[in-house]
Amino acid sequence: MKKVIYFSHKIPHNPIQSQINPIQVVLMIVLIVKFFENVMIFLSTFINKIDAKGRVSVPSSFRSVLEESGFNGMICYPSPVLNSVEGCGFNRIKKLSDTIDALGPFSTERSAFSTSLLADSHQLSFDTEGRVILPNKLIEFASIKERVSFVGMGETFQMWDPDKYSEFQNKTFKQSQESLASLKWNND
């Protein structure tokens, strides 16, 4: 016959589980997500070949940033101010769309921005090798030939013909040096 011992206090079935506060877990997850949202930006410059079909490999560090938004691809559109293609994730294009929508449903500015940015945007998915197919319209717009420069710009990136980007970079280098003192720091 087994002897059974009874205790006057309850012992939890799983002692570790009793120490976990679900609210603290949720808060920790939110903090981790917020941390990575603020950290994941596009940095550096990479040059990759583009084939005759318009396929180009997206740099792995750029893919990592893009995949953080939950989409296995990117959004691209002709730059409204430069001879390049702008690239971003869904969060950035949504922010741009919201800003355009705030102009009012029937304003001429809203129509112009919607037509020149949103209507000309392309949603491109990564293939199994991390490549996308750039539409001919974007390739022609940026005068891209055999190679593509992927240029990190923080929340966005640009795609250039490497020679055109080198010209642009040389032209703007001195200008950026002169303007450096005017940069405003955000103390968040």
Side-chain angles (χ1 to χ4, degrees):
M1 185 157 141
K2 274 188 176 178
K3 189 173 183 182
V4 178
I5 301 174
Y6 293 96
F7 293 97
S8 61
H9 65 282
K10 250 185 165 178
I11 297 176
H13 178 65
N14 184 347
I16 295 174
Q17 185 179 14
S18 68
Q19 296 172 8
I20 295 175
N21 181 337
I23 294 171
Q24 289 176 329
V25 172
V26 170
L27 287 174
M28 185 61 73
I29 291 170
V30 168
L31 288 173
I32 291 169
V33 167
K34 288 293 182 190
F35 173 78
F36 282 110
E37 280 178 359
N38 293 329
V39 172
M40 301 297 283
I41 59 176
F42 300 101
L43 297 174
S44 199
T45 301
F46 303 89
I47 299 175
N48 291 340
K49 290 182 181 182
I50 185 167
D51 69 14
K53 295 179 182 179
R55 291 181 300 200
V56 62
S57 180
V58 178
S60 63
S61 62
F62 284 27
R63 286 195 314 271
S64 294
V65 174
L66 290 160
E67 289 169 348
E68 279 297 311
S69 68
F71 173 59
N72 194 31
M74 60 191 198
I75 310 294
C76 295
Y77 54 92
S79 170
V81 293
L82 298 169
N83 190 30
S84 66
V85 174
E86 298 281 333
C88 63
F90 271 121
N91 296 343
R92 179 65 176 208
I93 201 73
K94 175 70 171 121
K95 191 186 298 185
L96 188 57
S97 177
D98 290 346
T99 303
I100 292 169
D101 285 345
L103 295 172
F106 304 109
S107 73
T108 55
E109 291 88 2
R110 181 186 184 281
S111 294
F113 284 128
S114 293
T115 301
S116 64
L117 294 174
L118 301 177
D120 285 341
S121 292
H122 299 268
Q123 182 176 316
L124 309 176
S125 297
F126 300 135
D127 68 10
T128 57
E129 296 176 33
R131 299 176 301 185
V132 294
I133 299 175
L134 287 179
N136 284 334
K137 185 175 181 181
L138 295 178
I139 293 170
E140 291 169 8
F141 177 83
S143 304
I144 293 171
K145 294 169 189 68
E146 298 172 358
R147 300 176 305 147
V148 179
S149 287
F150 286 84
V151 181
M153 304 294 289
E155 284 191 50
T156 64
F157 61 95
Q158 298 171 339
M159 291 176 280
W160 290 77
D161 173 80
D163 295 332
K164 300 265 187 215
Y165 177 66
S166 183
E167 289 172 22
F168 173 77
Q169 192 177 28
N170 290 336
K171 185 174 93 175
T172 59
F173 182 74
K174 185 165 178 64
Q175 183 182 13
S176 66
Q177 283 182 317
E178 293 167 359
S179 303
L180 199 56
S182 66
L183 282 178
K184 303 279 189 259
W185 292 97
N186 185 354
N187 293 325
D188 285 344

